[in-house]
């Protein structure tokens, strides 16, 4: 399994494969970003598009960004979409950890459904988001 960051020049070739699923994830989990905003962040170099590829096709794409928090640098997964998680999870986790360390981060954060916590054994829940219709 090959995992790498796409260059900004490669984003437009890869994005259409995951475009609808990225927007679905944003909608489903009440993300404060939208698919077009995430795409623009990757095109501009403000965020990174991580891609897992099996040699034939991309299986996973995720958008990552470094943040400077009061506790230090954090590498945050903003959105993820993919197929066959069992095929790419280990390689993607190792790549994300290496990228975080290279960028000076000591922490990786992500939000989403509870099942994603299994990708990072030892991850702890640090907050929950509540929604009330008014």
């Amino acid at each position: 399994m090959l995992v790498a960051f796409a260059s900004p020049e490669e984003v437009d070739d890869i994005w259409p494969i995951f475009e609808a699923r990225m927007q679905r994830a944003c909608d489903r989990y009440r993300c404060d970003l939208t698919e077009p905003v995430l795409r623009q962040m990757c095109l501009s170099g403000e965020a990174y598009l991580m891609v897992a590829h099996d040699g034939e096709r991309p299986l996973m794409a995720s958008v990552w960004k470094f943040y400077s928090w009061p506790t230090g640098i954090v590498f945050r997964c903003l959105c993820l979409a993919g197929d066959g998680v069992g095929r790419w999870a280990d390689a993607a986790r190792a790549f994300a950890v290496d990228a975080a360390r290279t960028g000076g981060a000591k922490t990786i954060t992500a939000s989403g459904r509870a099942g994603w916590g299994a990708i990072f054994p030892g991850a702890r829940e640090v907050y929950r988001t509540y929604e009330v219709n008014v």
Side-chain angles (χ1 to χ4, degrees), residues 7 9 14 18 34 42 44 47 51 53 56 78 93 100 120 125:
S7 70
E9 295 78 24
I14 298 165
F18 298 98
T34 62
C42 294
S44 71
V51 181
H53 200 284
E56 293 182 27
L78 303 176
R93 178 181 56 246
F120 286 94
E125 184 178 299

Side-chain angles (χ1 to χ4, degrees), residues 3 16 18 21-22 30-31 51 53 61 65 70-71 87-88 90 98 119-120 123 126 129 132:
V3 180
F18 298 98
R21 287 182 285 174
M22 289 277 191
R30 306 296 197 266
C31 181
V51 181
H53 200 284
K65 183 176 177 178
T71 55
R87 295 178 60 196
W88 50 260
D90 290 341
D98 185 56
I119 292 178
F120 286 94
V126 293
T129 301
V132 177

Side-chain angles (χ1 to χ4, degrees), residues 14-65:
I14 298 165
W15 198 266
I17 299 166
F18 298 98
E19 181 175 17
R21 287 182 285 174
M22 289 277 191
Q23 186 59 55
R24 209 167 32 246
C26 289
D27 293 342
R28 184 173 184 185
Y29 298 107
R30 306 296 197 266
C31 181
D32 59 349
L33 301 168
T34 62
E35 171 273 320
V37 169
L38 292 166
R39 182 181 195 158
Q40 186 56 43
M41 290 171 75
C42 294
L43 286 168
S44 71
E46 180 183 350
Y48 301 93
L49 180 62
M50 179 193 298
V51 181
H53 200 284
D54 68 359
E56 293 182 27
R57 66 185 182 97
L59 299 176
M60 180 278 296
S62 54
V63 178
W64 294 78
K65 183 176 177 178

Side-chain angles (χ1 to χ4, degrees), residues 56-110:
E56 293 182 27
R57 66 185 182 97
L59 299 176
M60 180 278 296
S62 54
V63 178
W64 294 78
K65 183 176 177 178
F66 284 99
Y67 288 90
S68 182
W69 287 4
T71 55
I73 297 172
V74 173
F75 195 39
R76 181 163 182 72
C77 181
L78 303 176
C79 194
L80 185 147
D83 296 317
V85 66
R87 295 178 60 196
W88 50 260
D90 290 341
R93 178 181 56 246
F95 185 86
V97 167
D98 185 56
R101 288 180 179 149
T102 299
K106 294 188 186 242
T107 306
I108 290 175
T109 65

